[in-house]
């Protein structure tokens, strides 16, 4: 009977997330990890990370350099570092593969391995099961979550950063490339928290201001007892509704927690906010998920 959703998709609409274990094979995960090693090996450190800053003015220029680097990363493959890994000359204080926090935001468009994964037949099939009619890929990221950095991911909703009219059109695909455990920083969710809209938006700041983005509204104080952890094995996929509240804790383990994630928007009857930090470009309009 057409239009009936598989039972677990009912769970997705109820909770705002869905865990699909063993969605990708170990080989597919390893191909992504190997590819990222190659990309890191060939990486050039961006100029704004190399400037020796002294005066306030130069510091502002450097901040501007960082923000431009971020704001224009939507159609490129770029590198974002953990704090304190580079000295003032921009040389690494630790091995460079341990110094990167994430790589984004167009791996899905420019890298053959990540493009193949993003548009793989099983992802497309899942999109169809979810009833997506005109899904487009808006961004992708490789997240390292290395062990010695005490960075956690504060509670947030993806729609804060990727705003659409109407809401409810953004969907995250989060792929564990290694087992994600309680110790190494798996994701935590508040089930059912995707039904009450968003309270905060990150928007592009007016040009000429020192920051590139600003927040409108505020993140409420979430009750930490409402979060449930979602440990997941290598190859597992977590589907994330754009408005579900989620976070990750510190990685306190001895191992990393690599993940590849991308976001899809249902483009049918949807407008993408002009105030989002991420904008499609003539070089890279958001590509269709379906090939």
């Amino acid at each position: 009977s057409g239009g009936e959703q598989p039972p677990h998709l009912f769970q997705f609409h109820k909770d705002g997330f869905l865990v699909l274990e063993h969605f990708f094979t170990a080989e597919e995960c390893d191909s992504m990890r190997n590819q990222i090693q190659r990309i890191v090996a060939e990486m050039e450190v961006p100029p704004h990370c190399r400037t020796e800053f002294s005066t306030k003015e130069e510091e502002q220029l450097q901040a501007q350099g960082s923000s431009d680097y971020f704001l224009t990363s939507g159609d490129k493959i770029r590198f974002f570092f953990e704090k304190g890994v580079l000295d003032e000359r921009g040389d690494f204080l630790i091995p460079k593969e341990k110094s990167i926090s994430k790589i984004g935001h167009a791996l899905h468009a420019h890298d053959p391995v990540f493009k193949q994964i993003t548009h793989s037949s099983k992802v497309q099939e899942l999109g169809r099961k979810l009833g997506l009619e005109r899904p487009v890929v808006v961004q992708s990221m490789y997240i390292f979550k290395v062990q010695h950095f005490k960075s956690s991911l504060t509670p947030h909703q993806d729609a804060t950063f990727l705003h659409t009219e109407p809401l409810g059109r953004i969907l995250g695909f989060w792929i564990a490339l290694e087992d994600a455990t309680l110790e190494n920083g798996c994701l935590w969710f508040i089930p059912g928290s995707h039904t009450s809209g968003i309270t905060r938006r990150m928007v592009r700041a007016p040009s000429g201001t020192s920051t590139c983005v600003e927040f409108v509204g505020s993140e409420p104080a979430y009750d930490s007892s409402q979060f449930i952890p979602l440990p997941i094995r290598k190859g597992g996929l977590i589907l994330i509704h754009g408005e579900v509240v989620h976070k990750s804790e510190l990685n306190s383990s001895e191992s990393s927690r690599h993940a590849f994630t991308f976001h899809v928007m249902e483009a049918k009857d949807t407008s993408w906010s002009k105030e989002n930090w991420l904008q499609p470009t003539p070089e890279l309009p958001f590509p269709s998920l379906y090939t």
Side-chain angles (χ1 to χ4, degrees), residues 61-135:
L61 279 172
Q62 188 183 28
Q64 192 53 50
S66 304
S67 62
D68 290 345
Y69 185 77
F70 167 71
L71 278 184
T72 55
S73 66
D75 60 356
K76 302 177 189 68
I77 295 177
R78 288 193 161 168
F79 304 91
F80 300 92
F81 300 93
E82 297 284 4
K83 285 187 174 51
V85 298
L86 297 163
D87 63 18
E88 62 275 11
R89 289 191 306 280
D91 294 327
F92 289 101
L93 298 165
I94 57 166
K96 62 182 182 178
E97 63 282 359
K98 288 202 159 112
S99 66
I100 300 178
S101 121
K102 60 185 194 197
I103 296 178
H105 287 90
L107 285 160
H108 62 281
H110 297 315
D111 182 89
V113 172
F114 292 98
K115 187 176 195 167
Q116 191 182 359
I117 292 287
T118 304
H119 296 279
S120 58
S121 53
K122 44 196 167 188
V123 168
Q124 296 193 38
E125 192 183 323
L126 181 54
R128 292 197 167 91
K129 279 185 187 157
L130 286 159
L132 300 175
E133 292 186 54
R134 281 184 39 217

Side-chain angles (χ1 to χ4, degrees), residues 55-258:
T55 70
K56 266 278 169 277
E57 211 168 293
E58 279 163 357
E59 232 170 290
Q60 272 177 337
L61 279 172
Q62 188 183 28
Q64 192 53 50
S66 304
S67 62
D68 290 345
Y69 185 77
F70 167 71
L71 278 184
T72 55
S73 66
D75 60 356
K76 302 177 189 68
I77 295 177
R78 288 193 161 168
F79 304 91
F80 300 92
F81 300 93
E82 297 284 4
K83 285 187 174 51
V85 298
L86 297 163
D87 63 18
E88 62 275 11
R89 289 191 306 280
D91 294 327
F92 289 101
L93 298 165
I94 57 166
K96 62 182 182 178
E97 63 282 359
K98 288 202 159 112
S99 66
I100 300 178
S101 121
K102 60 185 194 197
I103 296 178
H105 287 90
L107 285 160
H108 62 281
H110 297 315
D111 182 89
V113 172
F114 292 98
K115 187 176 195 167
Q116 191 182 359
I117 292 287
T118 304
H119 296 279
S120 58
S121 53
K122 44 196 167 188
V123 168
Q124 296 193 38
E125 192 183 323
L126 181 54
R128 292 197 167 91
K129 279 185 187 157
L130 286 159
L132 300 175
E133 292 186 54
R134 281 184 39 217
V136 296
V137 185
V138 297
Q139 67 133 350
S140 54
M141 269 189 306
Y142 192 103
I143 302 165
F144 290 81
K145 193 84 177 173
V146 231
Q147 51 280 26
H148 46 248
F149 286 99
K150 298 298 173 238
S151 56
S152 57
L153 181 65
T154 54
H156 69 285
Q157 298 165 291
D158 292 342
T160 284
F161 307 95
L162 308 170
H163 192 267
T164 59
E165 291 283 334
L167 284 171
R169 299 288 205 257
I170 290 288
L171 182 61
F173 290 71
W174 192 95
I175 304 156
L177 303 185
E178 303 177 90
D179 292 355
T181 64
L182 285 170
E183 294 72 40
N184 74 5
C186 69
L187 297 180
W188 294 64
F189 288 78
I190 299 181
S193 57
H194 60 303
T195 55
S196 34
I198 58 170
T199 56
R200 188 172 73 128
R201 285 184 59 187
M202 184 173 94
V203 299
R204 283 182 172 239
S207 60
T209 39
S210 60
T211 56
C212 59
V213 292
E214 54 195 22
F215 285 96
V216 178
S218 59
E219 202 66 61
Y222 296 109
D223 172 358
S224 59
S225 69
Q226 291 189 302
F227 283 93
I228 62 159
L230 292 191
I232 187 166
R233 309 284 302 214
K234 173 178 177 172
L237 168 71
I238 302 179
L239 271 184
I240 304 175
H241 186 287
E243 281 107 87
V244 75
V245 178
H246 58 290
K247 66 174 182 177
S248 72
E249 298 294 340
L250 306 174
N251 178 355
S252 55
S253 76
E254 289 306 300
S255 57
S256 55
R257 190 224 66 188
H258 288 202

